[in-house]
Amino acid sequence: MELPKNSLVASGPVIIENNKVLLNREYDHDGTPNENFMFPGGKVEDFTVSLEENCKREVKEEMGIDVEIIKQLKTTMVFLPEKEKVAILVHYLANRIGEIKPGPQNIEWGWFDIDNLPDNCTPNVYEIIKEYKTL
């Protein structure tokens, strides 16, 4: 399969405190509310900066916090047939720095028990948390 032209690379932090993970729901770029919880983060817009810097920029925009990256976790690839695109998702285990001040694109956010995640998470959330539990 060839990579569709409108595919994307995204990066973001996986922030876990006291066995709870920070997740959010936000508006898509077209203004449609996303029904699923996901890790904060987003599309790489500038390929002259590292994926780690993109991760830091995105979480600052979405959640108003800085992060300290601990290590890279699994990179996943998701085919989105309805949008005819592939999303390559780069995840970083990270520590939060500062108090959360969600940006305007957020619909809902919260800390969720890693052993009792919501039913409406994006598939990569379940996959990455499963990996995290084996570290």
Side-chain angles (χ1 to χ4, degrees):
M1 178 178 146
E2 200 172 293
L3 193 64
K5 290 187 187 330
N6 63 342
S7 294
L8 63 93
V9 177
S11 66
V14 176
I15 303 169
I16 298 174
E17 298 178 8
N18 301 316
N19 231 30
K20 294 182 185 275
V21 62
L22 179 62
L23 301 174
N24 68 331
R25 288 189 324 112
E26 60 187 21
Y27 293 101
D28 287 334
H29 294 288
D30 65 2
T32 306
N34 193 314
E35 296 299 319
N36 295 317
F37 281 101
M38 61 189 78
F39 299 119
K43 181 179 176 180
V44 174
E45 297 167 3
D46 181 355
F47 285 92
T48 65
V49 300
S50 69
L51 292 168
E52 293 90 346
E53 288 306 312
N54 184 78
C55 169
K56 291 176 180 181
R57 178 186 58 78
E58 283 289 333
V59 74
K60 185 74 165 181
E61 287 176 9
E62 289 183 16
M63 305 306 287
I65 57 173
D66 293 310
V67 292
E68 171 194 25
I69 293 177
I70 300 168
K71 67 184 250 172
Q72 186 173 348
L73 299 172
K74 184 176 187 175
T75 296
T76 59
M77 183 169 61
V78 180
F79 180 63
L80 307 165
E82 70 282 359
K83 296 182 180 180
E84 296 182 354
K85 75 166 83 171
V86 170
I88 298 168
L89 309 173
V90 183
H91 305 90
Y92 294 97
L93 186 61
N95 288 327
R96 171 175 61 108
I97 301 170
E99 294 304 315
I100 295 172
K101 297 174 188 130
Q105 73 277 23
N106 274 289
I107 299 168
E108 180 180 4
W109 68 275
W111 294 97
F112 296 90
D113 189 312
I114 64 172
D115 294 315
N116 190 25
L117 295 169
D119 293 333
N120 61 326
C121 290
T122 55
N124 66 304
V125 169
Y126 303 114
E127 188 173 351
I128 297 302
I129 293 300
K130 182 179 177 183
E131 175 194 14
Y132 170 79
K133 289 178 178 182
T134 66
L135 296 178

